[in-house]
Amino acid sequence: MGITCVTACGAGSTDQPGGADISSGTRHLNLVAYAVPKPGFDAVIPAFRETETGHDIGFSQSYGASGDQSRKVARRVPADVVNFSVEPDVTRLVKEGVVDEDWKQQAPNNSTPFGSVVALVVRKGNPKNIRDWDDLLRPGVQVVTPNPGSSGSAKWNLLAPYAAKSNGGRDSRAGLDYVSELVRDHVTVVPKSGREATTAFEQGQGDVLISYENEAIMLSRDNGSVPADEQVDYILPPQTFKIENPVAVVNGSTDQSAATSFVDYLFTPTAQELWAREGFRPVVPEVIARTHDLFPGDIAKLWTIEEVGAVLGAGTAAGNDGKALTGWEAVDTALFGAKGAITEIYNAGGRQ
């Protein structure tokens, strides 16, 4: 259940995480990522550079809203490794010929080295008594969550209550009615990225921030160093959503072997421990077991993109060359694509 806070992951580039120079080396990699995992990479990259494989590899980093970052790479902004909030932002690069079609098979766990779950960040002491998704719809509760048009985190944020209210998509109208009321009556700030949403909340906007658990953990760690009115707690709703954040090697990389070595390192026990310490849920079973206490809270039902995609993709085979849509392809088509139901809700200001 509740604890607290989040870290920063500003947009832009940096080669000195925590004051450590990571740019030097005879080889060089450009990492282009969504905003939230910057603290994790700030820990993992220096550790990689201490290994025999990584000691002579320098890094440049760029962080921003996941969709925006993906579109930049599609326009051929220099990149060797990408890490996005959602799979469709990698799929865009496959369609553009920038990432290989078999990228999921190029690394363990479908090339997903870490993840999180959707959490609710509240003011210290939880003055609005927020416990579950219904509490966000109470009169006067103001919610901060980013725009799903630019932010991958926004998609995860909305999938959590949608899945909870629709029984994983089986009663889609119930899920959409919830999202519509949330957007129309309670979402008062719509930043471009998860990082910008966190910043807005830190600055005093809103009563509840829908966010990644790792952001909530890092925010809570700051409680001892910020004024009382900036301190937070966080809640894991009984039903929430599993966040999976993929990585991929860009096939136009000028140093494919270095890029592949770095991606492989992300799955090592050392790197997995570092991810966990920065609030991200590891994916390697032995590290999951070892770091269990870092992730307090009880989740009765953790919905997944595979599960909801199977429901939303049912009956789509006729319009898809005889093969039903699954996973993110099904979810994006039904909810977040140009004609998706949640896209239409946002375009109409929550009015269906």
Side-chain angles (χ1 to χ4, degrees):
M1 293 279 302
I3 290 196
T4 300
C5 258
V6 171
T7 66
C9 306
S13 300
T14 177
D15 61 6
Q16 290 193 310
D21 175 26
I22 61 166
S23 62
S24 61
T26 61
R27 306 164 76 183
H28 193 83
L29 292 178
N30 291 295
L31 169 66
V32 178
Y34 71 108
V36 169
K38 184 179 183 297
F41 282 116
D42 283 351
V44 169
I45 289 174
F48 173 66
R49 281 169 52 83
E50 292 177 2
T51 67
E52 183 177 352
T53 302
H55 79 279
D56 202 30
I57 299 175
F59 284 78
S60 294
Q61 302 172 91
S62 172
Y63 297 97
S66 187
D68 291 349
Q69 293 290 83
S70 173
R71 283 183 280 271
K72 288 179 185 178
V73 178
R75 296 194 300 267
R76 304 309 194 267
V77 165
D80 300 284
V81 176
V82 295
N83 172 218
F84 297 135
S85 177
V86 292
E87 184 179 313
D89 287 336
V90 183
T91 304
R92 174 186 291 113
L93 302 186
V94 173
K95 292 178 179 177
E96 293 293 329
V98 177
V99 167
D100 293 339
E101 288 190 13
D102 67 346
W103 65 275
K104 279 189 178 182
Q105 285 72 56
Q106 294 179 7
N109 196 47
N110 288 324
S111 203
T112 302
F114 61 85
S116 193
V117 300
V118 177
L120 302 175
V121 184
V122 298
R123 304 298 173 188
K124 186 68 175 177
N126 195 8
K128 296 284 186 174
N129 194 29
I130 303 298
R131 301 294 174 193
D132 205 346
W133 295 109
D134 284 343
D135 298 326
L136 273 58
L137 303 186
R138 293 206 308 261
V141 174
Q142 297 183 344
V143 177
V144 179
T145 188
N147 188 333
S150 60
S151 169
S153 67
K155 293 183 178 182
W156 295 116
N157 291 354
L158 296 172
L159 276 170
Y162 170 83
K165 292 300 175 183
S166 68
N167 189 25
R170 293 170 181 84
D171 182 1
S172 190
R173 175 44 51 196
L176 294 174
D177 285 347
Y178 177 95
V179 172
S180 181
E181 185 174 351
L182 180 72
V183 171
R184 183 183 67 242
D185 298 335
H186 300 276
V187 175
T188 55
V189 183
V190 190
K192 288 187 65 176
S193 73
R195 176 61 266 178
E196 290 183 15
T198 296
T199 299
F201 190 75
E202 289 179 298
Q203 293 173 346
Q205 300 183 60
D207 302 302
V208 183
L209 169 70
I210 310 179
S211 189
Y212 293 170
E213 177 192 41
N214 55 274
E215 283 277 278
I217 289 171
M218 299 307 291
L219 277 174
S220 59
R221 288 179 183 174
D222 291 343
N223 274 352
S225 60
V226 301
D229 61 355
E230 295 180 18
Q231 296 176 11
V232 305
D233 288 324
Y234 73 87
I235 293 95
L236 298 183
Q239 293 192 52
T240 190
F241 215 93
K242 182 180 181 181
I243 295 168
E244 300 169 89
N245 308 126
V247 298
V249 173
V250 174
N251 56 27
S253 169
T254 57
D255 196 333
Q256 288 265 346
S257 64
T260 300
S261 295
F262 177 60
V263 169
D264 289 344
Y265 179 76
L266 302 180
F267 295 88
T268 64
T270 299
Q272 290 283 294
E273 290 263 11
L274 291 172
W275 284 118
R277 289 179 203 166
E278 296 300 325
F280 298 87
R281 295 201 174 209
V283 299
V284 173
E286 65 184 84
V287 183
I288 293 173
R290 200 158 56 233
T291 60
H292 179 267
D293 291 345
L294 296 177
F295 304 96
D298 296 318
I299 300 172
K301 174 61 179 176
L302 187 62
W303 295 98
T304 68
I305 201 71
E306 181 180 10
E307 193 174 6
V308 175
V311 174
L312 295 182
T316 60
N320 191 47
D321 298 326
K323 185 178 180 181
L325 300 177
T326 60
W328 264 112
E329 192 173 11
V331 170
D332 249 7
T333 299
L335 301 179
F336 298 113
K339 298 181 180 179
I342 290 180
T343 298
E344 292 180 352
I345 287 172
Y346 264 79
N347 289 343
R351 291 166 178 80
Q352 298 188 71

